[in-house]
Amino acid sequence: MLTVQEKLFCLKLARKTLEDYFKGTYELINPPEEYPSLKQKRGAFVTLLKEGHLRGCIGIIEPLYPLYQVIQEMAISAAFKDPRFPPLTKDELPFIEIEISVLSPLKKGTIEEIEIGKHGVYLIKGFYRGVLLPQVPVEYGWDKKTFLEHLCLKAGLHPNCYKEKDVEIYLFTAEVFKESEFFKN
C-alpha cells in the first residue's frame, strides 16, 4: 500500500512528465528517499480521462521496473501511443485527469475466484493476451460474464473464449487513485 504522500507524488510525477514532454524537457525523475515504495518494481497503468471519458490507458502488468519509472513511461505511452486514440495535444492537457493503478503481483486463478471490483484479469490463450483492470467492470456496470466476454474480445478472441480449457487466467488487485481525489479544479 502506498501512503497518501506517495500517491500524491505519483500523480504530480505523471502530470509533470506530460508537461515536460510537451516542453521538450522530459527527463526521468527519481523519487525522494522518503518514498522507498516508489523504487520497488511494480506493474502499473496510467489512465487519462477527458471529461470523464477514456482518452488513453497503457500499462505493464509484470513488475519489471521501479514504480516511479513505470509511471513516467506509461504516462507518455497513454498520451501518445494508445492505438485507440490520436496523440494527446498540448491544448488538451489542462482537461485531462490522470488515474494511476498500481498492481499486485499476478496470481494464477480461476473464473470462479474472480470478484467484480476486486480483481483485474489477465487472460492468455496461445499468442493472444488481454487485460482489464478491476475498476473497468464497475465503471461499465458489467457482471462477471460480460466482463469476461469483453476481456476475450480485447485479447482478439471470440467472446466465450474464457470457457476453453487452454485459456490461462491470472488475477491481480490494484490500488487505484486519481487527481480528483486529491486536487480541486
Side-chain angles (χ1 to χ4, degrees), residues 161-176:
C161 78
Y162 66 92
K163 298 177 182 177
E164 297 172 7
K165 288 182 171 55
D166 61 341
V167 168
E168 296 177 65
I169 300 279
Y170 293 89
L171 307 179
F172 61 90
T173 58
E175 194 171 354
V176 182

Side-chain angles (χ1 to χ4, degrees), residues 1-165:
M1 297 288 288
L2 299 178
T3 66
V4 170
Q5 291 79 18
E6 288 170 332
K7 290 177 184 178
L8 279 166
F9 181 84
C10 289
L11 291 165
K12 289 177 182 178
L13 181 63
R15 181 153 300 271
K16 180 166 178 35
T17 296
L18 294 176
E19 290 169 350
D20 289 352
Y21 191 87
F22 279 116
K23 292 178 193 170
T25 60
Y26 167 71
E27 290 183 17
L28 192 65
I29 298 170
N30 289 303
E33 292 301 318
E34 64 263 26
Y35 301 147
S37 296
L38 304 186
K39 294 183 181 182
Q40 294 174 356
K41 292 182 179 181
R42 301 285 300 269
F45 279 71
V46 173
T47 302
L48 305 180
L49 302 163
K50 184 177 177 185
E51 298 173 355
H53 299 286
L54 183 64
R55 180 59 178 85
C57 181
I58 302 276
I60 61 170
I61 299 168
E62 295 166 359
L64 302 175
Y65 309 101
L67 182 57
Y68 74 90
Q69 181 180 344
V70 172
I71 288 170
Q72 292 172 82
E73 291 177 4
M74 295 308 108
I76 290 170
S77 292
F80 304 107
K81 297 178 183 172
D82 187 329
R84 299 170 291 180
F85 302 96
L88 189 70
T89 65
K90 186 177 182 180
D91 291 340
E92 286 180 285
L93 188 56
F95 304 102
I96 294 297
E97 179 176 20
I98 297 171
E99 178 182 273
I100 297 173
S101 302
V102 179
L103 309 186
S104 70
L106 293 174
K107 173 185 156 275
K108 193 154 177 78
T110 65
I111 293 165
E112 294 74 31
E113 292 176 277
I114 298 169
E115 293 180 43
I116 295 296
K118 178 180 179 182
H119 293 116
V121 181
Y122 180 45
L123 178 141
I124 301 172
K125 179 179 168 72
F127 294 108
Y128 295 93
R129 305 214 175 338
V131 65
L132 286 174
L133 298 171
Q135 62 267 37
V136 172
V138 174
E139 290 169 1
Y140 289 100
W142 295 341
D143 59 14
K144 188 187 295 190
K145 179 179 182 290
T146 306
F147 178 43
L148 289 165
E149 289 171 348
H150 280 272
L151 180 59
C152 290
L153 291 170
K154 190 163 185 204
L157 298 162
H158 64 86
N160 290 318
C161 78
Y162 66 92
K163 298 177 182 177
E164 297 172 7
K165 288 182 171 55

